[in-house]
Structures are given as C-alpha cells and as structure tokens.
Amino acid sequence: MTMNKELKNTFEYIAERVDKQIELFIPKSPEPEGQLYEAMRYSSLAGGKRVRAFLAVMSSALLGVDEALALRAAAAVEIMHTYTLIHDDLPSMDDATLRRGKPALHREFDIATAVLAGDALQSLSFEVMAHEDTHSDPRVRIKLVSGLARAIGPAGAAGGQMIDLIGEEEDMTLGQITRMNRMKTGALIRFACEVGAIMGRASPQYTMALRNYASDIGQAYQMTDDLLDHYGARQDTGKDTKKDAAANKSNFIKHLGPEETRKKVEILINQATQHLSVFGEKDEAKRLKELAIYLLERKK
Amino acid sequence: MTMNKELKNTFEYIAERVDKQIELFIPKSPEPEGQLYEAMRYSSLAGGKRVRAFLAVMSSALLGVDEALALRAAAAVEIMHTYTLIHDDLPSMDDATLRRGKPALHREFDIATAVLAGDALQSLSFEVMAHEDTHSDPRVRIKLVSGLARAIGPAGAAGGQMIDLIGEEEDMTLGQITRMNRMKTGALIRFACEVGAIMGRASPQYTMALRNYASDIGQAYQMTDDLLDHYGARQDTGKDTKKDAAANKSNFIKHLGPEETRKKVEILINQATQHLSVFGEKDEAKRLKELAIYLLERKK
C-alpha cells in the first residue's frame, strides 16, 4: 500500500517547506566552524519522511494556527529529532552505518563532529522554538520550549535511549518495553501533536484528543519499526535491518512474535482514529487518520 | 594568593545552594534509566568552582532579583556548563581522563552513558530555565532560554569546540583563537552575567556594563586556563595538564608566550573592574571585582 494522493501531496507540501525552513536556520558558514554547519545540514536535510513535522503542521491547522508559525515549530521538532538520530547512531550507541540511505554522520565526518552536530542541533531547536517569530505570545513559546525539553530530556528520549542501551544486556518485560518506547520515540511524537494544541490554545477536550491520538500512533510507529527491522530489506528502509535480533534486543517482536505485534498495531491505529472524531469531518483530521492507517502499511 | 574572606564566603554560600538546587533537579531514580540520573549527578555534583553560578547570582543581586529565582537560573547555567565539560572530555574530543579530580564521566561509566548524560543535562538546563518557578514573567523566561540557546549553540560553545578540534591540526591566528574562546567558553560566561540583567530587567547601561565585564573576564579566564595548563600540576588543577602543548594546540601561550599572556590578563582584569564602576560601592560589585582579581591569581 502506498499513501493516497491527498496524504502524499500534503506530506510533500510540508516536507518541502520544512526543509526550506531548516536550510534558513542552518546556513552554510565560511568561518572555521563551517564543518559543524555542514554536518548539521548533512543530517537535517537528508530527506526524512518528516512525520513529526506533518503532525505539528496538521495539528496546528486543525486549530487555526497560522501555517508560517506552525512550519517554524515543525522545523524545530525535526531538528530535534535529527539530533536524537545522530547520537543514537554513534558507535558507542547503536553503531549504525546507514541513515536515510546515506552513511551515518559519524561515518561521513567523524565521531567528534557527529557528537557536536547533535549537540548544536539540540540547542538550535530550542533557539528556534523560543524565537519571537515562532509565536507572538511569549506564554505560548515558553510552553513550547518546556514541552520540547521534557520530551527529549531524562524523562523522555534521553531516558528511553538509556533503557534501550541497558536492554541490550537485560531482558525487559513487555511493560518495560512499552514504557521505554513511550519515552524514547513516543514523547517527541506526542509533543509534535501538542504543538498545534499549544499554539492554537486548544480546549482541554481537543488537547486530550490530540494527545491520545499521538500516544497511540507513537506506540504503533515503534511497533511497525520493529516489524520493518524484522522483515525489511536494507535498501527499502535506508538503514541497517535485523539489528535488533542480532543484538538480542528486547523488543515487541521478541515478546509477542510478528503476527501478534501486527494485531496490536491494528488495534492502536483503530483507537487513534477514533480519538480524532471530536474534530468531525475536517480535512486535517482526515489526513491525520490517513497517516495512522498508512503507518500500519508502511514499507519504510 | 587565595580568595579574601568575603569572596570565599560568598562563593561557598552560592556553591552550597546551587548544589542543593541541582540535587533536587536530578533526583536518584529507581527506574531502569537510573544509571542516566547517576551519571548526571556524578558530573553535576562533583564540586566545581561554580564561577558561572557566582556570576549569575551576583549580577542578579546587583539588580535586585530575588535570590531563590537567581539560584534556579544559576543552577541551569551550571548544568549546561557540566554538559559541555562531559562532551568535551569524550575520547573523540579532548580525550580527558580526569575532571574535577575524579575520573572523567566516560571512564567512570562508559562512552554511551557520557554522551547521553551530556545530552540530558542540556535538555534539563532548558527545562529548568523555562519553568515558571524560575521567573513569574514568561517574557523574562523566554529571554533566558533564548540567551542560553545562543550561548551554547553553533554560534557559541558548540561552534567554539568545533574550531578547537580543527585547531589541533591547523595553526590559528591570534584573532582566530580569541574568536574561538569567545564562542567556546566566553559565550556562557557572558550569559551568566546577563542572567542578572535579564531577570532584573536592567537598563541598557547596566546591561552593557555587565556584558563588558563578562567579556573581559571570559577572555582572561581562558588565558589563565592556558597558563595553568602550561605551568600547573595535575594534582592542583584536578585535570590533565600540559595537554595543549602535547597536542600542539594553537593557544595564547603558543603565540604570545606565558609572560605576554599574563600581561594581557592583567589588562583585561583591570578593564573588567572598571566596567563595574557604574554600580558604585555596592557589595555585589565589589565581589565581582574581587573575582576578576582572583582569576588573575588562581592556581586551579
């Protein structure tokens, strides 16, 4: 299954604009530190799917947020996501060789540059989010910054990655794996959907609907990642596959087997789309539902 | 020369309170990611001099900021500083074995944990700064976050570290070394002094005075660091010494020689204290002047 035309167009529309934003945020530099900017651009503009940008822009559109503002926040989220990928790929972490179909950053440059580029992307993401051009109301910007910080800090992505590293050595229960994924990848996905709620000053009902949707697709996304790692071919996914089994990693497949995992994904996707019913027949809600269904069927 | 009694007392007073703040921000965790918190605590509570906290708290006191608020911001700055030290010490960077008299974090734990702990400390610093307990006015908090992000991003510490890494291979001019230091260590020191100006909503005159003071002591601080590396003994500084010469690093000593460097430090310190004359005979201004003079004489 491929994306339907509307979803595909929306994805391309957002990815193109987010890439332009990121290019502006990370200019080429003739200064001695130019290599840092090169490295930041290499990974940030590598043609990712921009799922998190899609979530940020669609949730914003759903709540009437100006698109130019949403695109800045979406770019900040993608910049942050790229930082986590660069550090996760490091030899001391997952030791990945490929990312988005290209050599991992530490292979294209070197380890020190990859560490620094990740560090600088984290800082840049906060800088963009805090900038007055992202929203005129400082209360909104500070909420964005706080949410972003929690999503990637020790209670979010960094904590999740720590558990993942330990998990290579120890067996984790299904509950522990779920918690790890909620932290490692789920937190930033949930935050991407909250961007719209924060910027659009959404009612608690709408905020909760987006949060629940994000929570379900976040978990489903990680499960389909595991399935792709299990079934996928390297040329399709653009990264190394079968790495989890090789590392004897505790993941959903190991506990549930691939078929049971797939069934769980279907239940989550079904739930996710139901959460969006509060938004009625709005186009953006449709796109978000289509994304959920696409995640179920994605090949990379 | 040692610190005079008032300065020493003030330093101890601030260090003790900032350490208590940091302990609250990084609790021990019984969760599987507990190792991450342990690592963050190991480096954050290693008894640093807390120069940046001192600058943040003194500049705040000078401008009438509530001490409890200043201490939170000061802790955020020290947490950020600790992150930069952890990553700078990594084997792919400066490959340091000692820090603050203890094994570097990547030696006490492992490289992956050190990368992650640094990452998480960066995020935590922003989280603390953005928190409503740090200042009731979101406009003040967003200014703090923006300033902090610029100080450590590609135009600040991360960019400076990139130049430093390249500088091990290439010769740098004196101008390039000065620029590198302004980015690598100066930016966060300047920001620490700006904390008071931002939180105290200082006049442009006072803001500029603090900025100029910080700029001068920041440069002097780096020069005395180079001098300590040149002359110092490992047991005094609590870190590896003579590393710069061993790595054939371009630093002030290499260009100017130790005596000329020391003379330049004296000029900068003299300038720094003069910038503070706008604050008259206030106690906090005295302490900041004493710090400048102490930097000139410090042994570690």
Side-chain angles (χ1 to χ4, degrees):
Chain A
M1 181 192 164
T2 49
M3 285 188 187
N4 77 37
K5 208 179 151 199
E6 284 92 344
L7 183 62
K8 191 161 176 277
N9 286 347
T10 309
F11 251 92
E12 284 172 3
Y13 176 90
I14 292 170
E16 197 184 302
R17 276 155 188 79
V18 162
D19 279 16
K20 269 189 196 148
Q21 281 289 349
I22 294 174
E23 279 216 85
L24 289 174
F25 294 147
I26 314 171
K28 290 183 187 176
S29 165
E31 300 291 342
E33 67 276 20
Q35 184 176 317
L36 179 63
Y37 290 84
E38 277 306 315
M40 292 166 77
R41 290 171 67 93
Y42 176 84
S43 292
S44 301
L45 298 166
K49 290 188 292 293
R50 306 297 188 202
V51 170
R52 289 155 196 81
F54 177 89
L55 293 170
V57 173
M58 284 294 103
S59 65
S60 296
L62 207 48
L63 291 154
V65 177
D66 182 70
E67 188 181 277
L69 307 186
L71 280 167
R72 283 183 59 99
V77 172
E78 288 290 344
I79 287 169
M80 192 62 91
H81 175 54
T82 302
Y83 132 65
T84 66
L85 297 181
I86 293 170
H87 281 195
D88 286 0
D89 284 349
L90 287 171
S92 58
M93 303 264 196
D94 299 348
D95 197 14
T97 56
L98 279 175
R99 172 64 68 181
R100 292 172 175 169
K102 302 198 299 181
L105 184 60
H106 61 89
R107 295 209 151 208
E108 183 70 15
F109 290 81
D110 52 43
I111 297 174
T113 305
V115 171
L116 270 182
D119 289 346
L121 287 169
Q122 178 176 172
S123 315
L124 178 65
S125 174
F126 283 113
E127 191 184 338
V128 168
M129 211 55 119
H131 196 283
E132 59 185 358
D133 288 352
T134 301
H135 200 283
S136 61
D137 185 347
R139 279 166 301 192
V140 166
R141 301 205 301 276
I142 208 75
K143 267 192 196 168
L144 290 170
V145 168
S146 292
L148 186 58
R150 281 194 302 271
I152 55 143
Q161 175 67 1
M162 184 79 250
I163 304 171
D164 201 9
L165 286 171
I166 296 167
E168 287 175 32
E169 288 147 39
E170 283 171 44
D171 260 309
M172 279 194 280
T173 66
L174 206 54
Q176 286 170 330
I177 295 173
T178 305
R179 179 173 175 275
M180 174 190 81
N181 286 323
R182 279 187 63 80
M183 293 166 72
K184 184 177 163 161
T185 54
L188 193 58
I189 289 174
R190 289 196 300 282
F191 175 72
C193 288
E194 273 194 64
V195 162
I198 295 169
M199 293 183 101
R201 299 182 185 88
S203 68
Q205 188 200 15
Y206 284 175
T207 301
M208 197 52 75
L210 282 167
R211 224 176 252 165
N212 289 335
Y213 163 85
S215 179
D216 287 339
I217 66 157
Q219 208 187 325
Y221 193 70
Q222 188 57 50
M223 286 175 159
T224 54
D225 235 27
D226 290 353
L227 286 166
L228 284 170
D229 183 77
H230 182 76
Y231 288 121
R234 188 170 145 134
Q235 59 268 37
D236 281 348
T237 60
K239 56 187 176 183
D240 304 324
T241 54
K242 308 261 183 197
K243 281 184 67 80
D244 285 1
N248 196 28
K249 260 196 184 178
S250 299
N251 67 17
F252 290 109
I253 313 283
K254 203 181 155 196
H255 276 273
L256 302 172
E259 275 159 50
E260 196 63 31
T261 302
R262 216 196 118 78
K263 268 185 210 159
K264 250 201 113 47
V265 172
E266 279 175 37
I267 292 167
L268 286 165
I269 295 302
N270 198 9
Q271 260 177 218
T273 58
Q274 282 168 17
H275 290 307
L276 296 178
S277 59
V278 292
F279 296 108
E281 290 302 304
K282 281 195 182 175
D283 268 0
E284 293 86 8
K286 272 188 208 161
R287 293 296 93 75
L288 287 170
K289 284 178 195 170
E290 286 161 6
L291 170 70
I293 293 157
Y294 165 73
L295 288 181
L296 181 63
E297 307 289 344
R298 74 198 177 104
K299 292 281 179 289
K300 62 179 181 178
Chain B
M1 180 192 166
T2 49
M3 284 189 188
N4 76 38
K5 207 180 152 199
E6 284 91 345
L7 183 61
K8 192 162 175 277
N9 287 346
T10 310
F11 251 92
E12 283 172 4
Y13 176 90
I14 292 170
E16 196 185 303
R17 276 154 188 81
V18 162
D19 279 16
K20 270 189 194 146
Q21 281 289 348
I22 294 174
E23 280 215 86
L24 289 174
F25 294 146
I26 314 172
K28 289 183 187 177
S29 166
E31 300 290 344
E33 68 275 20
Q35 184 176 318
L36 179 63
Y37 290 85
E38 276 307 314
M40 292 165 76
R41 289 170 68 94
Y42 176 84
S43 292
S44 300
L45 297 166
K49 290 187 294 294
R50 307 297 189 203
V51 170
R52 290 154 195 80
F54 176 89
L55 293 171
V57 173
M58 283 295 103
S59 65
S60 296
L62 207 47
L63 290 153
V65 177
D66 182 70
E67 187 181 278
L69 308 186
L71 281 166
R72 283 183 59 98
V77 172
E78 288 290 344
I79 287 169
M80 192 63 91
H81 175 54
T82 301
Y83 132 66
T84 66
L85 296 181
I86 294 170
H87 281 195
D88 285 0
D89 283 348
L90 287 171
S92 58
M93 303 265 196
D94 299 348
D95 196 15
T97 57
L98 280 176
R99 170 64 68 181
R100 292 170 175 169
K102 302 197 299 180
L105 184 60
H106 60 91
R107 294 211 151 204
E108 182 71 14
F109 289 81
D110 53 43
I111 298 174
T113 304
V115 171
L116 270 181
D119 289 347
L121 287 169
Q122 179 178 171
S123 315
L124 178 65
S125 175
F126 284 114
E127 191 184 336
V128 168
M129 211 57 118
H131 196 283
E132 59 185 358
D133 288 351
T134 301
H135 200 282
S136 60
D137 185 346
R139 279 166 300 192
V140 166
R141 301 204 302 275
I142 207 77
K143 266 192 198 168
L144 290 170
V145 167
S146 292
L148 185 58
R150 280 194 304 271
I152 54 141
Q161 175 67 2
M162 184 81 249
I163 303 171
D164 202 10
L165 286 171
I166 296 166
E168 288 176 31
E169 289 147 41
E170 283 172 47
D171 259 308
M172 280 193 279
T173 66
L174 207 54
Q176 286 170 331
I177 294 173
T178 304
R179 180 173 175 274
M180 175 190 81
N181 286 324
R182 280 187 64 81
M183 294 166 71
K184 184 176 162 162
T185 54
L188 192 58
I189 289 174
R190 288 196 301 281
F191 175 73
C193 288
E194 272 194 65
V195 161
I198 295 169
M199 292 183 101
R201 300 182 185 88
S203 69
Q205 190 201 12
Y206 284 174
T207 301
M208 197 54 73
L210 283 167
R211 224 177 252 165
N212 289 336
Y213 163 83
S215 178
D216 287 339
I217 64 157
Q219 208 186 325
Y221 192 69
Q222 188 56 50
M223 285 176 160
T224 54
D225 235 27
D226 289 354
L227 285 167
L228 284 170
D229 183 77
H230 182 75
Y231 288 121
R234 188 171 147 136
Q235 60 268 37
D236 280 347
T237 60
K239 56 187 177 183
D240 303 325
T241 53
K242 309 259 183 199
K243 282 183 66 81
D244 285 1
N248 196 27
K249 260 197 186 176
S250 301
N251 66 18
F252 289 109
I253 314 283
K254 203 180 155 196
H255 276 274
L256 301 173
E259 275 158 52
E260 196 65 31
T261 302
R262 216 195 119 78
K263 269 186 209 158
K264 247 196 122 14
V265 172
E266 281 176 36
I267 293 166
L268 285 165
I269 295 301
N270 198 8
Q271 259 177 219
T273 58
Q274 281 169 16
H275 290 307
L276 296 179
S277 60
V278 292
F279 296 108
E281 290 301 305
K282 282 194 182 177
D283 267 359
E284 293 86 9
K286 273 188 207 159
R287 293 296 92 74
L288 287 170
K289 283 178 196 171
E290 287 161 5
L291 171 70
I293 293 158
Y294 165 72
L295 288 181
L296 180 62
E297 306 291 344
R298 72 197 178 108
K299 293 281 177 292
K300 61 179 181 177

